[in-house]
Amino acid sequence: MSSDSPTSGFVAFVGAGPGDPNLLTLRAAELLAKADAVVLDVETQTPLLRHCREGVEVAELSGGDFVRRAARGQLVVRLVEGDPMLFSSITEEAAACTAAEVDFEIVPGVPPATAVLTYAGIPPATAVPEFRIVDAAQEQDWAAHAACRGTLVVYNGIGDAVAIGKALIAGGKPDTTPVAVSSGGTTTEQYTVVSSLGRLQADLKHAGFTEPALIVVGEAVGQRDKLSWFETKPLFGWRVLVPRTKEQSRSLSEQLVAYGAVPEEVPTISVEPPRTPQQMDRAIKGLVTGRYEWVAFTSANAVKAVREKFEEYGLDARAFAGLKVAAVGDATSRALVEFGVKPDLLPSGEQSSEGLVAEWPPYDSMLDPINRVLLPRADISTDTLVAGLTELGWECDDVTAYRTVRAAPPPAPIREAIKGGGFDAVLFTSSSTVRNLVGIAGKPHNVTVIAVIGPQTAKTAEEFGLRVDVMADKPSASALAAAVAEFGAKQRQAALVAGDIPRRPSQNRRGARRRAR
């Protein structure tokens, strides 16, 4: 079939890959974006729907319904676990398409047989260039497979893992042959136990494996100590609460994912316009007419508020010509640069109001024609900056550019996880996030790692009875994520040195599942 979609409907059997939604092929993403209907193989494929257009229909996998849809002119994507042509049952479905004279396409997917091994740090074929994949759901000659000199990968065998091990030993495989069993492959639920054919029964006794899982037999398993890169990430599998606004938390969440964590963004603060806009209107007018020598921005939200006012009046960054601009930190500076404004002053040390005041020049009537500073800020800002600038001889117009209000409480399962120790860590990026999270959801459980962006936030957390475990070395969200990752890495290393299996903080609460990762 041509790579171009036909004008009439057709069915695309699309390999969904091994579990990680980022391992989808480009062709698969392209077809999902065009699909009229998507048929899921399993519920865990739901994240792949992000590639679809709004309003796409998620269809049931029942009978030949999706074939009839295609016959009516729809493009139907039938998602299939792994690779559609590897241990899959699409043959009959493809035959149904042919019988109905419906065109179809089969898009390969990344197979678990290679991907899960790669994520577990096991090279499929190294010293011995033989790689054999078998499906335990079908009758197998295990004696013949025992002769495999390379790597043997077994699908659908977790329920009979011990029996398979015994059969391979009976077929001539040494009982010392390394074995790895891995479930939840390529996701943050991946869990791998390394054993040998002779010890499988003892080592799997309390592991609690369920399908999908792979059994890997062969000397390649011994490379895991050197090549494991996924399950050894500093925050691997950690469920991390990010109590911020959606807009602010995106880059922080992406960084946490890179460390192996599973971030959950819970809005605790909603940013809204000021109740009376006249004050901001006067400030923007004064900014344009030369009322101010400086404009100081203490948050990206303040930049956004001023930018929106500029757009309302048909202004752009050129209105800052002749003004000096200060930014409290890196995130605020980036927001200004995106607006087209390069800050003249940025603290070289602590990125806070105190840090800004420490480097702010005193007013000099010989050098500064105007002694007035515009401070567009939140309605709940502290007076530190105003007091510091006033002491330096400046007059400040402290203007409410936006309001921060408490968000609605999160769903009940999130609240229960917060109070019950279901989260491994919570990252507080301001004092208001502490107050608001506790207000809408309650205090985090004492096993949860409490991480804060700076001393003021730490003080607020302690006032609410929280034990602060981690503080960023500089007040930025990126530094906070890095500090938590360093904390996690040290905890992991300490467990390994002590001869223990590394555990996530949530696994230390009473009644937590005892399966170590």
Side-chain angles (χ1 to χ4, degrees):
M1 171 178 283
S2 164
S3 61
D4 296 325
S5 302
T7 53
S8 59
F10 80 110
V11 175
F13 296 97
V14 170
D20 182 348
N22 293 315
L23 294 180
L24 200 67
T25 65
L26 291 173
R27 178 58 176 160
E30 178 188 355
L31 287 167
L32 282 168
K34 297 176 181 177
D36 297 303
V38 177
V39 180
L40 301 181
D41 207 18
V42 290
E43 192 177 337
T44 52
Q45 292 168 350
T46 302
L48 298 180
L49 296 176
R50 71 171 186 253
H51 297 286
C52 300
R53 58 183 173 77
E54 193 173 341
V56 69
E57 189 173 355
V58 181
E60 296 276 330
L61 177 58
S62 58
D65 181 60
F66 66 87
V67 178
R68 288 192 291 272
R69 288 171 180 271
R72 293 196 300 266
Q74 287 191 342
L75 165 53
V76 180
V77 170
R78 159 79 162 95
L79 288 172
V80 183
E81 282 191 278
D83 187 323
M85 298 297 273
L86 186 63
F87 304 145
S88 173
S89 59
I90 68 161
T91 308
E92 292 180 6
E93 296 172 18
C97 291
T98 301
E101 297 184 346
V102 168
D103 288 336
F104 66 89
E105 174 179 348
I106 301 175
V107 181
V110 178
T114 53
V116 175
L117 271 64
T118 299
Y119 273 53
I122 301 170
T126 49
V128 180
E130 182 180 2
F131 183 57
R132 188 179 301 189
I133 310 168
V134 298
D135 182 4
Q138 303 174 36
E139 189 173 341
Q140 297 292 339
D141 181 355
W142 295 109
H145 295 317
C148 175
R149 296 175 60 243
T151 304
L152 175 67
V153 176
V154 182
Y155 276 54
N156 301 314
I158 194 62
D160 299 313
V162 174
I164 290 170
K166 289 178 179 178
L168 289 172
I169 293 172
K173 207 81 168 165
D175 62 0
T176 56
T177 304
V179 180
V181 182
S182 191
S183 69
T186 74
T187 73
T188 49
E189 293 297 314
Q190 181 158 327
Y191 171 51
T192 305
V193 166
V194 174
S195 181
S196 64
L197 287 178
R199 284 195 50 82
L200 260 183
Q201 185 164 5
D203 290 341
L204 296 185
K205 190 174 183 180
H206 301 293
F209 282 112
T210 56
E211 296 287 6
L214 293 182
I215 302 170
V216 187
V217 183
E219 297 301 326
V221 172
Q223 297 292 311
R224 176 173 158 82
D225 287 343
K226 292 183 287 186
L227 297 177
S228 182
W229 62 274
F230 184 56
E231 294 173 60
T232 54
K233 286 188 174 188
L235 299 177
F236 182 76
W238 281 41
R239 188 181 179 195
V240 179
L241 181 68
V242 183
R244 305 183 71 196
T245 65
K246 208 68 164 165
E247 180 182 348
Q248 291 172 315
S249 62
R250 191 175 299 114
S251 60
L252 175 57
S253 291
E254 289 170 357
Q255 189 176 352
L256 289 168
V257 168
Y259 292 134
V262 183
E264 292 193 39
E265 299 167 2
V266 175
T268 57
I269 298 171
S270 177
V271 176
E272 297 182 4
R275 286 194 176 88
T276 52
Q278 293 84 353
Q279 192 182 30
M280 266 291 280
D281 291 337
R282 286 195 297 270
I284 298 301
K285 182 179 178 181
L287 189 150
V288 174
T289 56
R291 176 177 170 83
Y292 302 108
E293 180 78 8
W294 281 90
V295 183
F297 291 96
T298 56
S299 71
N301 281 324
V303 177
K304 182 172 181 281
V306 169
R307 188 171 183 171
E308 287 174 351
K309 274 292 179 185
F310 268 38
E311 290 169 358
E312 188 180 317
Y313 286 112
L315 300 170
D316 58 31
R318 288 173 293 184
F320 282 96
L323 278 164
K324 295 171 189 171
V325 179
V328 78
D330 294 334
T332 307
S333 177
R334 281 194 297 273
L336 281 166
V337 171
E338 286 173 11
F339 186 18
V341 179
K342 185 179 179 181
D344 300 283
L345 180 63
L346 186 70
S348 57
E350 182 181 337
Q351 296 189 349
S352 64
S353 295
E354 290 85 351
L356 198 55
V357 168
E359 298 190 32
W360 198 289
Y363 172 67
D364 187 330
S365 59
M366 299 294 291
L367 299 174
D368 303 306
I370 305 166
N371 75 332
R372 196 171 292 274
V373 179
L374 172 62
L375 299 176
R377 303 194 295 165
D379 57 332
I380 56 171
S381 297
T382 61
D383 295 329
T384 305
L385 187 55
V386 173
L389 295 181
T390 302
E391 195 171 322
L392 289 169
W394 297 94
E395 289 187 25
C396 298
D397 281 0
D398 192 6
V399 175
T400 298
Y402 61 95
R403 290 184 300 129
T404 55
V405 298
R406 184 176 291 177
I414 297 290
R415 297 199 303 272
E416 289 163 10
I418 290 170
K419 292 183 284 190
F423 283 100
D424 296 290
V426 55
L427 275 56
F428 289 115
T429 52
S430 66
S431 291
S432 58
T433 57
V434 178
R435 287 190 292 268
N436 289 333
L437 181 73
V438 174
I440 65 176
K443 284 171 56 175
H445 193 279
N446 59 13
V447 299
T448 306
V449 172
I450 305 297
V452 299
I453 202 165
Q456 187 60 48
T457 307
K459 181 180 176 184
T460 304
E462 287 164 354
E463 287 171 357
F464 278 89
L466 299 176
R467 176 202 68 250
V468 174
D469 302 293
V470 179
M471 185 162 67
D473 57 5
K474 64 177 183 177
S476 76
S478 177
L480 178 57
V484 176
E486 184 180 357
F487 178 88
K490 287 179 179 176
Q491 294 284 92
R492 175 183 175 80
Q493 188 58 34
L496 292 173
V497 169
D500 297 328
I501 297 174
R503 300 167 59 79
R504 292 181 283 112
S506 62
Q507 291 175 316
N508 293 323
R509 71 190 192 277
R510 183 176 297 174
R513 189 176 181 182
R514 290 293 171 186
R515 190 177 87 173
R517 294 200 169 269

